[in-house]
Amino acid sequence: IGGGLGAEGRRIRRERVFRSGELSRLTDDDLATLRRLGVRFIADLRSAKECDLLKSRLPDAEVHVHRADITMDVRIDGRHIMDHILDDPTPEGTARAVALSFGPTADFCGPALKLLVERLVHEDAPLLFHCTNGRDRTGVIAAMLLYLLGASREAIVTDFMLTNERIDVEIVVKNSILALNKAFGREVSREFVESVTLVKPFYIDTMFAFFAEKYGSPEGYLSHFDIDAALTGALRERLLER
């Protein structure tokens, strides 16, 4: 997620932080790339059920894997996200429901975000974090890491929208059908999955609106998970070029 501008116009270092989809299909060349990059820590943000469905292929024993076990059971105002979608299953209604899910998802991701920040501050080695499709949970984590580094909202959204260029839609649809059926205990249609595969810019805007409503500000959200100014400053010293 490096290369852009952060606080004080300092550029974010490259090849320090990587986001990805699930790792079950890594080739030998992919594993060699991870070794070349020096990745020593992988945060798997998927739920336990998702991990069982698609088992990661990992480089070797020298890579530590943290399993965050972040649920897909997202509820908005006490109701399951699928119920909100069924209220208005049009593409526009589905997108609105998915956008609203980004706030609760950020809450689920808070502990993992804190862990990753501490790891980046205290360990001088690249790390990778991933969920199933490299989109929602990873999108939240990447957005907040960029925010902590002082990136502009426009830059955060631009990075998020790269998701649509990098994902393999057919694989994402297949993975999503498996994971959603398992997580929700109900059959989901291919048409529904296709409608939520590509991300929208306003997903990030909706997440920040959630922070303002629930925590008063993004800083309030970060403070709730014990990410304070000192930790933010230390992260910037590690990941911003001088």
Side-chain angles (χ1 to χ4, degrees), residues 12-230:
I12 300 168
R13 294 173 64 189
R14 291 185 179 276
E15 297 193 350
R16 305 302 296 174
V17 184
F18 300 90
R19 69 179 175 112
S20 175
E22 55 90 14
L23 306 178
S24 68
R25 298 183 313 279
L26 294 185
T27 65
D28 289 344
D29 286 344
D30 295 331
L31 296 176
T33 297
L34 283 177
R35 286 191 289 270
R36 176 183 62 77
L37 292 170
V39 172
R40 293 290 178 268
F41 183 85
I42 294 175
D44 187 340
L45 307 179
R46 299 175 300 165
S47 68
K49 291 179 179 179
E50 293 171 272
C51 292
D52 288 341
L53 282 171
L54 296 165
K55 297 186 183 301
S56 296
R57 187 179 183 214
L58 300 171
D60 45 48
E62 65 189 33
V63 175
H64 175 76
V65 178
H66 170 75
R67 302 196 187 281
D69 192 14
I70 297 175
T71 181
M72 295 179 67
D73 186 11
V74 177
R75 295 179 183 272
I76 305 165
D77 297 329
R79 298 178 65 214
H80 199 288
I81 183 175
M82 289 294 288
D83 294 327
H84 286 270
I85 289 170
L86 291 173
D87 287 345
D88 182 4
T90 64
E92 295 77 15
T94 299
R96 283 193 295 271
V98 172
L100 288 172
S101 77
F102 266 65
T105 297
D107 275 348
F108 292 147
C109 288
L113 176 64
K114 169 73 178 306
L115 175 69
L116 288 170
V117 170
E118 290 183 326
R119 186 86 189 187
L120 288 165
V121 167
H122 298 298
E123 301 290 336
D124 190 22
L127 59 76
L128 179 149
F129 57 93
H130 74 94
C131 56
T132 293
N133 296 321
R135 185 186 56 196
D136 302 336
R137 287 161 290 190
T138 47
V140 166
I141 295 282
M144 295 316 295
L145 285 174
L146 288 169
Y147 182 84
L148 285 164
L149 292 169
S152 68
R153 180 77 68 85
E154 180 182 6
I156 292 169
V157 171
T158 297
D159 177 83
F160 180 62
M161 293 306 295
L162 287 174
T163 306
N164 291 343
E165 299 178 21
R166 304 294 172 83
I167 61 176
D168 184 317
V169 171
E170 187 57 37
I171 289 174
V172 167
V173 168
K174 179 181 177 181
N175 286 350
S176 296
I177 289 174
L178 283 172
L180 291 171
N181 285 345
K182 183 76 171 180
F184 298 150
R186 67 179 82 175
E187 293 293 323
V188 295
S189 69
R190 181 182 177 90
E191 291 74 21
F192 162 70
V193 173
E194 288 178 343
S195 73
V196 299
T197 292
L198 299 182
V199 300
K200 311 288 193 299
F202 74 94
Y203 292 179
I204 296 297
D205 296 331
T206 305
M207 180 182 73
F208 278 97
F210 171 86
F211 294 154
E213 180 178 351
K214 182 172 181 179
Y215 298 103
S217 66
E219 285 71 26
Y221 163 79
L222 294 167
S223 177
H224 180 77
F225 293 102
D226 297 322
I227 303 173
D228 58 17

